Each structure stands twice: as C-alpha cells, then as structure tokens.
Amino acid sequence: MISRERNLMYSLEPKEVPHINTKYRRIVTKIPVPESLPILERLQKYEPRSMTGQPPIVWDRAEELQVYDKFGNMWLDWSSGVLVTNAGHGRREVRDAIIQQAEHGLLHNYCFPSEVRSLLAEKLVNLAPANMDKAFLLTTGAEATENALKLARTYGHQHGGKEKNVIISFEDAFHGRTLGAQMMGGMPGLKTWITHPDPDIIQLPFPDGYYHENLTFEDFEADLAIRDIDPDHVAGVILETYQGATACFAPQDYIQRLRQWCTQHDALLIFDEVQAGFGRTGKFFGFEHYGVEADLICCGKGISSSLPLSAVLGNSRVMDIYPPGAMTSTHTGNPICCAAALANIDLILNEHLVENAEKVGKVMQAGLYHIQQQKSDIIGIVQGRGLVYGLLIVKPGTKEPDRALATKIVQHAFEQGLLFFSPVGGATVKIAPPLIITEEAVQEGLEVFASAIEQARV
C-alpha cells in the first residue's frame, strides 16, 4: 500500500464535499473518489515520483469543455490538458480523422514521403507569416526548441564564423525539459542537474511588468555590454511569446526594438509559440500581437488538440541549411498525428475559435480583474490575453510568491468541479480553457474560482 500523503501537494484521503450538479460541473462523490485510489496508488508505485503533483482526478474521458471520471463526476476544464486542447477535448472531427488514418493502414513512415504530411506542411506554411516557407514536423515542444537552437547556431556559424555562437534567452522562461531546452530555460531550479552549462547560452531579465516593471530595451543592451558580449557574436534570441510560467507579455515597443536589433546584428529572432499558437491569445500566432516578423517559430500543444506533434516554421534560408538526411526525426510528421492536426486546424478556422478567444477572453479578463480587486492583498498581478491568464498568488502585502495558498486554491476549485493544473512558476494559478468556451461557462467558472480563493484563505 502506498501512502495516501505521497501525492506531494494533494491529500489522497477521501473528503466529503458538497454535491454539485450544473450544466458544466457535477460532483457526486467524496474527493478524491475512494474507488479511484487503487489506480492512483498503482501509478505511484510504478511511475516516477515526478509524475505526481496534479489534482487527484483519474481521467476517464474528456469531451469539449469537460473532463469526466468513471464515478459520475464532471469538471469544467480550465487547463486544456496543459494548453493542448484548443479546439476542445475529444472533438468528433479529430477523432474521425484519427480513425480514418488508422484504418487506412499507415501508422508510421519515418521521413519517407506521405501525402498527409505534405498536406499539413503546406497548411502550416500557408497560415504562417509571409516570410516563412518551410515547416519541419516533430513530436514535442522541447524537440522544436532544440531544433531552433541547432538552426540558429548553424546559421550563425555560416554567417559569422564559430564566434557567432551566443544564444540569448530570458530569465523565468520555460522551453522544455531536454538538455538544450533547459539550458535555454530561465528557471535555475530546473537546471541543477546540468554540470557543464553552455557558457554561450545566457539569460537576461524579462520585462514582465511586475518584478521587472521598469525594464527597457536599453537594459538589454547594457546587460550584454556588462557581460562583454559582442552583439555580432549573437546567433539567435529565443523567447516565449508570453512567459509560460505566468502568462506575461513583453511590452510591444521592447519586442519591436529587439526585432530591429536582431536584424542589425544578423541574429535570428525565435518565438517559442508552443503555448501561444493556434488561437490561444486571440491571434492565430500569439507573437502577432507584437507587430513583428519572426525568423523561426516553435509550435506544439494546440497544433493537434490531442496527439503529440510539434513544428518549427521558418524561411528556407535557415530551414534548408542541412543537407538531405542530416536533420530528421524518427516520428517526424507521424501520419495519425498529422491527420489529427489537419482536422484540428480546420476546426479552429471554421468555428472562428481565434475570434472567440479574443471575444470571450475579454469577459474572462474583466472577471479576473474584478476578483483581483476584491483580493488585491494576495493576488499580486493578473496577466494574459485571449484565453490564457496567470494570477500570481503572493503573501499579503508583499511580492513573495505563496505556493501553499495557490495550491489550496487549485484544490478547493477542484473539489467544486473546476479543474486547473497545479500552480506554475512558484505560485501562479494558470487559466487556459479550451477556445470553444462560452461566456456562460466563463461566468460560472469565475464564480467558482472566487469561492475557491475565499475558502483557501480560511
């Protein structure tokens, strides 16, 4: 028997909670469900401890806005399965595309040509900004950012010699969990295992509007000078369109000046759109809010609303650097994943989900600002755009993150049928529902969220 307290953040001791039955939420059992404990305990026994730490719901199925267990409970999902299900959970069109491709008989083809991969590459290029004409299909967001690192460095070496090797990223950024991605990431606690960090990958402060509220682009240039970095030795600058740990965007002027700087010094400007792409922010690609061109875009998560797929988009002057066979991946453009992505993108476009994210996102934003006004002593800042927001929970009267309180808020919401993933970046409650969400569902979720905050403070 595994200890019921080993979930790290959430107790596995079943608790009586009020029963709920609304259009969007249903709770009819103790939480966690007593009958689900053998499943949770089996996972604890056979998986690494790192896989614990989320609210103890055993997902059975998920449809559109809701996640179900097999014990009669239903949650309004404000996680999108960590920003994946942009078009909603389990959409029939996506499921049908997966089934049809599977029944057609092609499940894998390495990088041998396939029609479905050609169709997806074409669709992505047609949706990308006009300066982009190539799409490289991969599996995970980390694989995409690693590939962008490789391309930027190789491009730099070809255009400025081996000295043009510096990669600039930003503090508090998250670019994935593989070696290169974590060296580009800006969270020191995630990098303690790296014994020989790359000295030419550096992080600079991000203008987050809270901890660095007065940061300007002059500070970017000054930081490089202090580090004695020649701007012409910079191969690329990579940043999340919004910082994934908080949902904060940089000021538009800062990014526009960064674009000019990259052009001046022939450095690639790379946007990590793994969280931001495919309508999440109210634009098809989130970096469009900045009014700049990217040299490379890293995509993932919402690209399929389901199966593992990612992509790097760019111009052939960069994307065609490597000769045939020198830049591939075993599961590049898996046929079933490509079929899912094509169906998903059609849903996003045909159902105007980008526009819905912008419209309904304004209702979400207004409601979250109202909650912040009521709880301004513990909500340090609300940041985001479209249908992604982050509320930083702090200790009263300070800017010090309060992870324990943030976790209690997530737990109380979970017990009332509103599902978040665990706090990120220390103490940020992240809000990211599927883009099909309605104003009615947003309003109900906001009421539950406000109640959860109130209960967590007791």
Side-chain angles (χ1 to χ4, degrees):
M1 178 69 68
I2 304 299
S3 167
R4 292 184 178 180
E5 299 303 321
R6 276 197 57 203
N7 190 245
L8 299 186
M9 295 196 294
Y10 304 96
S11 171
L12 296 188
E13 193 64 42
K15 171 184 174 184
E16 290 282 0
V17 297
H19 287 190
I20 296 162
N21 190 9
T22 76
K23 180 178 179 180
Y24 298 104
R25 299 172 295 126
R26 184 170 62 245
I27 301 295
V28 296
T29 67
K30 294 181 178 180
I31 298 294
V33 181
E35 292 84 355
S36 74
L37 295 180
I39 301 169
L40 296 169
E41 291 167 351
R42 187 182 309 128
L43 288 169
Q44 287 186 351
K45 180 176 181 180
Y46 293 109
E47 287 188 335
R49 186 175 62 164
S50 62
M51 287 291 289
T52 62
Q54 293 300 331
I57 166 182
V58 177
W59 291 36
D60 182 59
R61 60 189 175 91
E63 297 178 3
E64 299 195 348
L65 293 175
Q66 280 109 348
V67 173
Y68 300 78
D69 66 14
K70 60 182 180 181
F71 310 105
N73 300 308
M74 174 180 74
W75 284 263
L76 174 59
D77 181 29
W78 276 18
S79 78
S80 293
V82 76
L83 297 108
V84 168
T85 56
N86 284 16
H89 288 282
R91 294 296 302 271
R92 170 51 62 187
E93 294 84 348
V94 174
R95 291 159 61 189
D96 285 346
I98 291 169
I99 292 167
Q100 289 168 14
Q101 181 60 44
E103 291 183 341
H104 179 74
L106 184 65
L107 304 186
H108 171 76
N109 59 282
Y110 177 43
C111 57
F112 290 101
S114 71
E115 182 177 18
V116 68
R117 194 174 85 229
S118 76
L119 293 173
L120 180 57
E122 178 184 35
K123 178 156 285 199
L124 290 172
V125 167
N126 288 340
L127 288 167
N131 67 312
M132 298 188 168
D133 59 5
K134 297 281 181 167
F136 181 37
L137 300 176
L138 296 159
T139 308
T140 68
E143 196 176 10
T145 59
E146 291 262 6
N147 180 251
L149 167 63
K150 176 179 179 177
L151 287 170
R153 280 245 167 105
T154 308
Y155 178 86
H157 295 165
Q158 291 185 355
H159 289 77
K162 292 296 184 180
E163 289 185 328
K164 194 170 181 64
N165 197 56
V166 175
I167 301 294
I168 298 172
S169 56
F170 290 88
E171 294 174 2
D172 298 317
F174 182 81
H175 295 296
R177 296 194 183 277
T178 51
L179 179 60
Q182 291 210 322
M183 284 197 289
M184 290 188 293
M187 299 179 185
L190 297 181
K191 301 196 281 189
T192 56
W193 65 279
I194 302 174
T195 55
H196 296 90
D198 189 323
D200 288 331
I201 298 179
I202 66 166
Q203 284 81 51
L204 300 182
F206 187 83
D208 62 11
Y210 189 66
Y211 291 111
H212 300 293
E213 55 185 325
N214 297 315
L215 205 64
T216 67
F217 191 73
E218 283 74 16
D219 295 306
F220 175 96
E221 295 177 301
D223 282 336
L224 292 183
I226 290 169
R227 296 169 183 257
D228 199 27
I229 293 174
D230 183 338
D232 290 327
H233 290 170
V234 176
V237 180
I238 184 169
L239 71 155
E240 294 171 290
T241 296
Y242 61 81
Q243 290 214 300
T246 57
C248 64
F249 286 75
Q252 186 183 62
D253 176 69
Y254 184 100
I255 300 300
Q256 290 181 345
R257 292 193 59 186
L258 177 60
R259 171 69 274 177
Q260 295 167 1
W261 185 93
C262 287
T263 301
Q264 179 184 349
H265 297 288
D266 198 18
L268 300 184
L269 180 58
I270 307 161
F271 282 97
D272 179 346
E273 285 266 317
V274 171
Q275 286 196 24
F278 300 89
R280 174 59 56 185
T281 70
K283 299 281 189 184
F284 195 87
F285 293 109
F287 80 91
E288 295 177 89
H289 289 287
Y290 294 125
V292 300
E293 284 190 346
D295 293 306
L296 294 174
I297 305 173
C298 301
C299 303
K301 293 188 182 289
I303 192 172
S304 71
S305 288
S306 55
L307 301 184
L309 186 73
S310 65
V312 178
L313 309 179
N315 185 271
S316 54
R317 71 188 176 93
V318 178
M319 300 293 288
D320 284 344
I321 285 175
Y322 280 91
M327 192 176 79
T328 64
S329 180
T330 299
H331 294 285
T332 184
N334 172 272
I336 293 181
C337 296
C338 286
L342 285 165
N344 171 64
I345 293 169
D346 283 346
L347 283 171
I348 290 172
L349 297 176
N350 295 339
E351 296 187 355
H352 307 289
L353 298 186
V354 180
E355 295 83 355
N356 192 63
E358 180 183 20
K359 177 186 173 184
V360 179
K362 290 177 181 177
V363 176
M364 175 78 79
Q365 185 181 68
L368 293 174
Y369 283 160
H370 178 73
I371 290 173
Q372 183 194 23
Q373 290 171 359
Q374 303 299 312
K375 317 289 183 185
S376 59
D377 59 328
I378 61 166
I379 300 177
I381 191 169
V382 175
Q383 295 175 303
R385 193 170 291 174
L387 282 172
V388 58
Y389 290 92
L391 278 73
L392 176 62
I393 308 301
V394 297
K395 295 181 179 179
T398 75
K399 287 188 174 184
E400 182 182 352
D402 192 337
R403 183 173 179 81
L405 181 57
T407 301
K408 287 179 66 178
I409 291 169
V410 169
Q411 178 174 343
H412 281 287
F414 167 64
E415 292 170 355
Q416 296 179 64
L418 180 64
L419 185 62
F420 298 96
F421 46 80
S422 288
V424 295
T428 295
V429 178
K430 196 81 167 285
I431 297 170
L435 307 187
I436 58 172
I437 196 167
T438 62
E439 292 185 19
E440 179 185 54
V442 165
Q443 295 290 6
E444 180 168 321
L446 288 169
E447 292 173 9
V448 177
F449 188 39
S451 170
I453 295 172
E454 194 64 38
Q455 290 179 31
R457 299 191 69 175
V458 176

